[in-house]
Structure formats: C-alpha cells, structure tokens
Amino acid sequence: MSNETEHVYDLSGVLGGEALSGVRPGTSILLSGPSMTGKDALLFEFLAHGVGRGESGIILTTEGEGEDTLREIESYTPDADPSLLAAIDCRARSGRETEHLDSGAVVYRVVDPSDLTGIGINITTHLDRIRSSNATACRMGLTSLSTMVRYSDRETVFKFCHVLLQRLESAGFIGLCTLNSEAHDDQTVQVLKQAFDANIEFREHDGDRQVRVLGIGSQPSEWQTLG
Amino acid sequence: MSDSEPVVLVVEDQKDLAETYYLWLRDDYSVTVAGDGDEALEKLDEDVDVVLLDRMMPGLSGREVLEEIQARGIDCRVAMVTAVDPDFDILEMGFDAYLSKPVMRDQLTQTVEKLLERRAYDALLQEYYSLVEKAATLQASKNQSELEASEEYSDLLERIEQHHEELSETLGGIEDDDDFIAAIRELSDVERN
C-alpha cells in the first residue's frame, strides 16, 4: 500500500451514490454483466473522470484499437490533458510497438492478448512515465478479461489479475476490469470475481440498463438505472 | 522445495570468482560450482533452486545453458552475471535477474534471497488459485444457506484469506518492477510448458 498522502479516488461523478465517492487507493473493481449493458462506456467514463481530476489513466483493450479508444475516453472529458493517458492494444503487426501521439498520449501495442509479458512491460513503462510526471494517481482499465480467457485460460487470467492488481495496489492506483458474464460458466465468473475487492454488476431490467455496487461499504448498493 | 538448504549452482569460468561466490554463499546454501556450461549441465538436476550463470564463458554461453534448463523443464531461478547493464530484455529472455560485474557480496546474497522469495511467491499463488477454484465450485453448485452450513466452505474461505495475506507480504505485494515482470512471465512460462 502507498505510504504517501492518501489520495482518495472519487468515482461518484460517474455513477452517483455514496459508495463510490471515497474509494481507497489500491482498490480493484470488476465490472461484470451481460454484453451490451454499457460496461465499456462506464469504464471509459471512469478513466475520463480521473483524467479530468489530473489523474493518469491507462487502458488495455484486447479487441479495440488504442488511438480510437483514447479518443472515446477523451470525448467524455474534452478539456482534460490527453497526455495523461496511455493505451495498450493488441494489434501490433509483429513484436511490440510504441507510438507517441500528437496529443502527448502514448499507444503501446502487443501482438495478441496472450503476450502477458509484453503487456506487463508496457504497464511498467507507463508507471515509469507517471513517476516522472506530476500525476501521483492513476486509474487502469482493462477490457476485457473475457477475451483474455479466450486467449489463455481462466487460471492464467486469474493469476495475471492478482499480480497486476497487487502491483497497482502497492502503487496506490485503481484497477478496473470488465468481464462479460455471459461468455463463461458460473464457476469461471466466481473465480475471476475473487481477484477483485469490489464488483459493479450490470443487468438489463425492463428495457433499462442498471448497475449496482458490491464490496464497497457493508451493503450492496441499490440498483440504479444508467442514463 | 525441500526443507533442507536451498541448492545454488554457480557457473563461472574464472576460478577465483567462483571460489569467492562459493565462500559467500556456503553458510546459508548448499553450493555447487561448475567451471563452464557443459559442466553446469552435468551438475544440473531437480534439486537446484538457483543458478548463477556467467554470461560470457568459453564453450556454451549463458544463454545456451538457460535454454537447456528451460528445455529440461527444471524449476529453478536463473540469475545472469554480466559485465554490461542489460534492460528488461534480459528478463524476457527468461533470466530472472541479472548481476553486473563486479559483484558485491551483499548484492549476491540479496539476489539469491530474492529469487528464492519469488519462487515461494509463485508456489503460493498456485495454491491460492487452487483454493479459489474449489470455493468457486462450491459457490456455483450450492445456495447461500447450504454454503453457510458447510464447514468445508468456511474452512476454504479462511485458507483463502490466509493465502491472500501471505501473498501481500511476499515480495512486498510486488512493489518492484522486476518482480512484477518476473511474476507475469512465470505465468506465460507455465502456460507454454
């Protein structure tokens, strides 16, 4: 855990509700639910909101393109400094690539989501960048664990999450990962949930997309409808 | 890992250096010395926990010895001793650490300790996963009241909690970038084997 002055992460600007207003550094949150319930959009908003508060952000996208993903995140916070952001995507033609965008953001590429070492090295490079800049806080997003499971297996992905989230925890950062709960059996979902401190559950209810927060505070929050 | 002293294999062609490393390590470890790559492969077996491998040797290079260690599937950690300062590339190649010459006593003993600790971390993470998987199986097959009544389940949760704490203490919860990369690379290695 971080010994520096405790930076408390305020995630409430995105979802509302008290549960997310004072998230302690090092917390990891799983965003899980069926497909098309808005997990990615919420994840991007969490990152954008952090950047708007002067925090750094890094997004790992297993299927999307890095620069597009950064643009989507920036669209939620047009006034923020884009150089606080970095993306890792899995679309390198060969080996590993690094691209510095005009905005000051960086896109790192690996060949596919099974290159865990490459992903780890890129994360480390971003952590170095944060250390040498003024940002002392960072939110890391990962979408999605489901694709990672497809490229390796649930045991490897569980361990990867554990190691990654421990690294983020000792740096005092926040980790947010998405999981498509329909893509796996119950047991796999249960296993992966165990790697996280908290869970934001998504569901479709009467034509609305709803979320609730579990694991932060003693009680699960009420279901709330996403706008 | 056995309960007896960890085994360190020192591979170094300069006799005086090999002797120095031996003297520094012998109090805490069971140390074997090999004068070149071929001798190293002869002396390499399942009991070896840590290998200190000189990069530049006549005959087999450090890299080639590492490849053979990997090919044999021997579960040991390998530190490369080198005259130049390498980057993460070295970790990617499959080395677990590197030491730049000239090697100081504290550096050497700390590196060996660190590698043994990483090994313990990997083993602990494996046990942790097994427990989590068992708990998940119960969660997926039983309802809440059945879970609450199950002694096996509460026992599992307790052990999961213990492992979680132990993992947070090992490697300081992975505070260091080299440990982070090494722990992640280990996952890919396991997958490939």
Side-chain angles (χ1 to χ4, degrees):
Chain A
M1 208 173 297
S2 172
N3 294 323
E4 289 159 33
T5 344
E6 286 250 305
H7 171 99
V8 174
Y9 290 82
D10 184 356
L11 305 187
S12 64
V14 178
L15 260 193
E18 256 173 61
L20 293 175
S21 63
V23 176
R24 73 168 179 81
T27 302
S28 56
I29 306 177
L30 179 69
L31 284 62
S32 66
S35 56
M36 307 301 285
T37 45
K39 297 185 295 294
D40 276 4
L42 194 67
L43 176 70
F44 296 159
E45 243 185 295
F46 277 134
L47 262 65
H49 200 249
V51 174
R53 289 165 50 91
E55 295 169 13
S56 177
I58 179 165
I59 180 78
L60 165 60
T61 172
T62 52
E63 290 183 352
E65 196 276 325
E67 193 174 350
D68 290 348
T69 308
L70 289 179
R71 213 170 288 140
E72 198 172 336
I73 294 170
E74 288 162 22
S75 71
Y76 290 106
T77 176
D79 300 329
D81 175 6
S83 72
L84 291 168
L85 282 167
I88 303 171
D89 74 17
C90 302
R91 295 194 175 190
R93 298 233 173 82
S94 63
R96 283 158 206 164
E97 300 162 8
T98 303
E99 188 187 347
H100 292 267
L101 306 179
D102 292 340
S103 66
V106 185
V107 177
Y108 304 98
R109 300 200 159 86
V110 297
V111 169
D112 71 50
S114 67
D115 182 10
L116 300 179
T117 309
I119 290 170
I121 288 172
N122 289 332
I123 292 170
T124 302
T125 309
H126 185 67
L127 296 185
D128 268 346
R129 232 180 112 221
I130 298 174
R131 273 194 286 266
S132 57
S133 74
N134 290 326
T136 51
C138 177
R139 303 179 184 190
M140 167 152 189
L142 188 166
T143 177
S144 73
L145 294 179
S146 299
T147 318
M148 295 190 80
V149 171
R150 210 161 66 230
Y151 274 85
S152 47
D153 57 68
R154 97 173 158 217
E155 175 170 349
T156 307
V157 174
F158 172 86
K159 289 179 177 173
F160 173 77
C161 286
H162 184 85
V163 172
L164 170 62
L165 297 170
Q166 274 208 320
R167 182 73 192 90
L168 295 179
E169 183 178 341
S170 43
F173 300 159
I174 295 278
L176 301 143
C177 302
T178 68
L179 179 75
N180 177 359
S181 51
E182 284 174 329
H184 313 281
D185 56 41
D186 287 354
Q187 198 194 12
T188 301
V189 174
Q190 284 301 339
V191 164
L192 293 174
K193 269 186 189 170
Q194 297 283 332
F196 292 83
D197 300 316
N199 185 201
I200 298 179
E201 265 184 7
F202 289 65
R203 73 171 182 190
E204 181 107 30
H205 186 69
D206 292 339
D208 284 333
R209 295 181 308 180
Q210 297 186 324
V211 294
R212 65 170 178 172
V213 182
L214 299 96
I216 294 179
S218 53
Q219 296 290 322
S221 74
E222 298 294 318
W223 285 100
Q224 57 171 303
T225 301
L226 287 172
Chain B
M1 218 183 296
S2 66
D3 292 333
S4 55
E5 281 183 333
V7 177
V8 179
L9 174 61
V10 173
V11 190
E12 172 59 65
D13 62 306
Q14 286 175 265
K15 282 214 168 64
D16 51 337
L17 275 184
E19 177 69 14
T20 306
Y21 299 161
Y22 169 77
L23 293 173
W24 285 346
L25 294 169
R26 68 171 178 185
D27 288 346
D28 299 306
Y29 309 104
S30 161
V31 185
T32 312
V33 176
D36 61 36
D38 290 302
E39 197 185 340
L41 293 180
E42 279 167 37
K43 293 187 168 170
L44 187 73
D45 59 30
E46 296 294 336
D47 294 336
V48 174
D49 297 295
V50 170
V51 182
L52 294 175
L53 194 53
D54 188 33
R55 184 183 209 174
M56 300 289 276
M57 292 179 294
L60 286 179
S61 71
R63 177 87 194 255
E64 286 167 317
V65 174
L66 175 70
E67 279 167 9
E68 181 59 25
I69 292 173
Q70 290 169 334
R72 289 196 203 166
I74 292 177
D75 180 27
C76 59
R77 297 293 177 270
V78 186
M80 187 179 69
V81 184
T82 168
V84 283
D85 240 359
D87 203 353
F88 283 132
D89 306 359
I90 279 317
L91 298 176
E92 268 203 279
M93 253 184 232
F95 289 101
D96 299 288
Y98 60 83
L99 283 158
S100 304
K101 284 184 174 179
V103 178
M104 302 295 148
R105 181 176 188 150
D106 284 355
Q107 269 181 316
L108 186 77
T109 50
Q110 279 164 15
T111 300
V112 172
E113 270 169 44
K114 177 75 115 181
L115 293 182
L116 289 168
E117 203 190 351
R118 276 197 204 149
R119 217 178 117 117
Y121 181 90
D122 297 333
L124 203 56
L125 185 57
Q126 179 60 45
E127 283 170 29
Y128 180 56
Y129 175 76
S130 306
L131 294 169
V132 164
E133 195 175 50
K134 275 185 202 153
T137 309
L138 291 177
Q139 285 160 356
S141 65
K142 291 183 191 297
N143 64 36
Q144 196 56 38
S145 56
E146 283 173 326
L147 286 177
E148 276 163 20
S150 161
E151 215 167 287
E152 185 195 0
Y153 186 68
S154 57
D155 180 50
L156 268 176
L157 294 188
E158 202 174 302
R159 289 172 67 200
I160 286 172
E161 184 57 31
Q162 282 167 1
H163 275 72
H164 193 270
E165 275 168 30
E166 265 183 76
L167 278 166
S168 306
E169 284 156 18
T170 317
L171 300 177
I174 313 211
E175 277 183 2
D176 160 308
D177 287 337
D178 283 359
D179 288 336
F180 174 59
I181 302 292
I184 286 184
R185 205 203 59 229
E186 185 65 19
L187 305 179
S188 315
D189 285 353
V190 170
E191 208 184 332
R192 252 180 268 131
N193 289 341

